Amino acid sequence: MAESATLHDRLTEIWSDPPNIYGKLATIDHKKIGKRYIVTAIAFLLIAGLEAVLMRIQLIGPNVDFLSAEAYNQIMTMHGTTMIFWYAAPILSGFANYLVPMLIGARDMAFPRLNAFTYWTFLFSGVLLYISPLLGSAPRGGWFAYVPFTNDFYSPTIGMDFFAFSLMLLTVSTTAGAINLIATIFRLRAPGMSVDRMPLFLWSTSTTQFVIVFSLPALTAALVLLELDRLWGFHFYDSGAAGDPLLWLQLFWFFGHPWVYIIFLPATGMISMVLPVFCRRPIVGYTWVALATVLTGLVGFGVWVHHMFTTGLPQVSMGFFSGASMTISIFTTIQVFAWVATIWTGRPVLKAPMLFALGFIILIVIGGLSGVMTAVIPFDWQLHDTYFVVGHIHFVLIGANVFPVFAALYYWLPKMTGRIMNERLARWNFGLMFTGMLVGFFTMHITGFLGMPRRIFTYSAASGWTVANFITTVGAGIFVIGVLIGIFNFFYSRKYGLPAGNNPWNADTLEWSSTSPPPIYGVERIPTVASRHPLWDEHKEEDDPENRRVLDDGKQTLATTGVDAHDGFVARMPGETVVPLVTGLALFGLCLALLFKLLWLALGFAVATAIAIAYWMWPKDKELIA
Amino acid sequence: MSVVPGSMQDVYPPTTRPHERGRGIWGMWLFIGTEAMLFALLFFAYFYLMASRTQWPLEKDPSYSYALILLAILLTSSFVASWAERGIKEHGNLGRLNVGLGLTLLLGIAFLGVQYIEYQHKLKELLPTDHAYGSVFYTITSLHLAHVIVGMLMLTFVFARGLAGHFNKERHLAVKNAVLYWHFVDVVWIFIVSIIYLSPHFYGGN
Ligand code: HEM
């Protein structure tokens, strides 16, 4: 294998970053960026989890004097906001970053530098959000920040402005990432991987990215109008001057409901990858699952109004949107049936990823049911803004996001670190999380029936909510311990785990054909794909006797046609650079300057951003001119 | 038994392949898609605020003479930009590209000038802080203005590269992208003129 060894050396040399601090800041390697994404998102999970613990301590009994009302509001807002925006979606972006190029046999993303930019702006937006509690005033309007409560009259503190600007920066990051993933999935798939052979994770990820591209502008619009009102005295949401607070709700939920699918769909895609491998058979109803995924994304745009059933809307439109909300659960049901059928007809192996996948299915069924319940309008009137809703969102979010994410971590970390996770710790991890869910968050539904409103910082003993709340806090504690054991396991196994080998699970998709961890250049030869399960069929992916898919003339990967993935073009890739980082910093500065109304400084940062982008786009050598 | 992938070409790939130029266009179209959505939502806000009023605009209907001049400038500039682009695409004519882009940029500057004059007049009768109509009027038009500036920056960038002699018949993706964006800016203005400037005169405003 001397020839192969030199090929390995040559490719390594082409693709490596300088082994110093510059190399770390300048890297545009999707594997490193993906891992950073995952680690950063988990850090946000822990921070927001800590905030949750503070809230649960406050609510453990009646009239506890641990947090003030204002502190509770701020912590609750930070918890919800961080979880929804800086953990749930970014962690999926992290997996997508790491996995998508490997799943399609490409060597990097379509726009590697944009990818680095996406990560840096994600990080900086989180930093921006967390500057506000350091200044002693965090946002306080809940994660959906309804006006008029969040306008400059009722919330004059600067925290709300940090909320708005950090979210705008995050929007830039998320949109850039979406564009990048779409271009990657539709341009860089290995020859032969036509769309009907794509792993389901690619279906769910690409659907999600389209949803992002078309729904996030609503958030941007809502926030821009809010800041114009707050900082510059405009009147969009001001009913005293022909404005309308309901405009915020319209815009926010036009974005907000698709967002629920943004943090749910990729997770279902991961389950559709993990489950068949541990059932030792292809997924049942591939086409149905793929179709249901796309339709969920589409119909998800039609359900935003169901968040406003209590605001008084025309009867007909309420009927329409209630219908759309119920339709969407049909698509989820299709997926659930496909998973159950896969388990039923397969030979399930109960390894850690499988446990979490099963836990996910159970929780999503419960959460889905309570969701359909709130789509029934009279029911929603009754339980709107009670703990029933808090229970529902946690079942959906934890069930549909945290559990799949843990399944994915147990499944793919061996690829990333080269070590298998400890199975004993995994079982504790799962058992405690699942018990905690049932004890803590299921009880919240009952607390809701007992009439406890959400977002209250304390209650009196006479209310009769004491026992339920105590149980919830205990359950939350169990859940948190479970999560911490999982995180301990990741560190522990990274050091002491057994070597994973290329394909520890005997899985079917391309990422498992490389060594664990994969070499910096990804694949030695661009593979060809002959079926939905490249590693299970007899076709040899890397068979290339004439060295035609080596592509070692500089940083290169293969581009193919969008639908059928016919071999066609050489895609050149840029070298490492700190420009994305600089651009991200300039945007960060721009946000801060606008926030403090320092217009000249803002102009300076805008010019800096433009210069950085121009430098970025200017071809560094004749070869790169497209 | 091994299954044969999509086509024979995949099994026996060509020894040399052309360079890929499709990614950039995907990126630009998606960027335009998300931006178009942003404007669509602002128009939605405009109509939403209008829906609860008996009178909209709240005071005078906006006069549209400047808006139409601006429209004429932008439409002309779009044609000039296409002319420039076709020069490089069909004839590999770098000179025509540079001249065309230069002219487009001049028209862009003219747009900024006329918009400046329009705002000066407008601000005497309507302020963004007056009421919601003022807010939405200035937000939409100035957001468009910001897009004109971004489009001009893109064109300037491409112009500079044209002067540096980067483009030829095969390689001119950046030109394509910048011109595409410029058309987008143009189309948005057509919507603004129809919705904000012209339509009030038709539904019997003031
Ligand atoms: C560690 C486990 C968790 C605990 C103990 C917990 C606890 C809580 C509590 C006590 C509230 C406040 C309810 C209220 O006063 O109305 C809350 C709100 C919320 N939580 Fe969690 N949570 C946890 C994990 C999560 C996760 C993983 C997510 C999302 C991925 C999440 C998303 C939210 C959201 C969106 C809200 C609503 C905030 C608002 O009302 O604006 N939580 N949570």
Side-chain angles (χ1 to χ4, degrees), chain A residues 197-225:
Chain A
R197 288 179 188 157
M198 291 198 309
L200 285 166
F201 182 63
L202 294 184
W203 278 96
S204 63
T205 301
S206 50
T207 305
T208 308
Q209 308 311 316
F210 276 107
V211 175
I212 288 177
V213 167
F214 291 104
S215 68
L216 277 201
L219 178 64
T220 312
L223 293 166
V224 169
L225 305 191

Side-chain angles (χ1 to χ4, degrees), chain A residues 301-324:
Chain A
F301 277 100
V303 293
W304 86 98
V305 178
H306 87 195
H307 290 269
M308 299 179 298
F309 283 157
T310 51
T311 56
L313 290 164
Q315 207 67 54
V316 187
S317 70
M318 304 230 319
F320 172 79
F321 289 110
S322 182

Side-chain angles (χ1 to χ4, degrees), chain B residues 48-60:
Chain B
Y48 191 80
L49 294 172
M50 169 172 140
S52 54
R53 296 277 133 192
T54 47
Q55 183 173 327
W56 187 266
L58 293 169
E59 285 125 24
K60 240 161 56 135

Side-chain angles (χ1 to χ4, degrees), chain A residues 314-449:
Chain A
Q315 207 67 54
V316 187
S317 70
M318 304 230 319
F320 172 79
F321 289 110
S322 182
S325 307
M326 292 195 201
T327 316
I328 217 161
S329 57
I330 296 178
F331 305 133
T332 309
T333 315
I334 292 177
Q335 288 186 300
V336 172
F337 278 128
W339 294 322
V340 172
T342 309
I343 300 169
W344 199 269
T345 53
R347 283 171 285 135
V349 186
L350 280 188
K351 285 278 175 57
M354 183 67 177
L355 283 178
F356 280 97
L358 289 177
F360 155 78
I361 295 178
I362 296 171
L363 295 177
I364 190 68
V365 169
I366 302 177
L369 282 180
S370 62
V372 177
M373 280 157 85
T374 49
V376 180
I377 294 171
F379 197 84
D380 190 48
W381 281 337
Q382 203 58 43
L383 290 168
H384 191 79
D385 272 344
T386 68
Y387 256 72
F388 186 87
V389 177
V390 182
H392 166 66
I393 52 179
H394 284 90
F395 259 76
V396 175
L397 291 170
I398 297 182
N401 183 288
V402 179
F403 273 73
V405 162
F406 270 78
L409 285 169
Y410 276 104
Y411 184 65
W412 277 299
L413 273 184
K415 173 61 45 184
M416 301 181 190
T417 62
R419 309 255 176 190
I420 296 276
M421 286 311 151
N422 184 302
E423 196 64 28
R424 279 251 315 270
L425 285 171
R427 271 157 209 273
W428 279 101
N429 177 190
F430 172 76
L432 290 174
M433 273 173 69
F434 197 71
T435 317
M437 279 303 288
L438 292 185
V439 175
F441 295 95
F442 192 78
T443 314
M444 285 184 178
H445 292 90
I446 298 167
T447 326
F449 283 125

Side-chain angles (χ1 to χ4, degrees), chain A residues 213 235 241 538 548 567 570, chain B residues 1 9-10 13 17 20 129 132:
Chain A
V213 167
H235 300 287
E538 287 173 25
R548 288 188 185 180
D567 191 345
V570 176
Chain B
M1 194 219 54
Q9 194 195 353
D10 300 330
R17 301 175 180 85
E20 193 265 356
T129 47

Side-chain angles (χ1 to χ4, degrees), chain A residues 52 55 72 79 83-84 142-143 387 394 441 454-455 476 479:
Chain A
M55 284 190 290
Y72 186 91
H79 165 74
M83 283 292 191
I84 297 261
W143 75 276
Y387 256 72
H394 284 90
F441 295 95
R454 68 190 288 198
R455 297 181 172 173
F479 182 85

Side-chain angles (χ1 to χ4, degrees), chain A residues 45 48-53 55-56 59 72 76-84 87-88 141-145 263 386-387 390 393-394 397-398 401-402 441 444 452-457 472-473 475-477 479-480 483:
Chain A
L45 173 74
L50 180 68
E51 287 154 359
V53 169
M55 284 190 290
R56 280 325 310 178
L59 292 174
Y72 186 91
M76 174 202 80
T77 303
M78 290 302 273
H79 165 74
T81 309
T82 311
M83 283 292 191
I84 297 261
Y87 155 73
W143 75 276
F144 37 71
I263 57 192
T386 68
Y387 256 72
V390 182
I393 52 179
H394 284 90
L397 291 170
I398 297 182
N401 183 288
V402 179
F441 295 95
M444 285 184 178
M452 176 161 163
R454 68 190 288 198
R455 297 181 172 173
I456 54 172
F457 82 107
T472 297
T473 298
F479 182 85
V480 169
V483 173

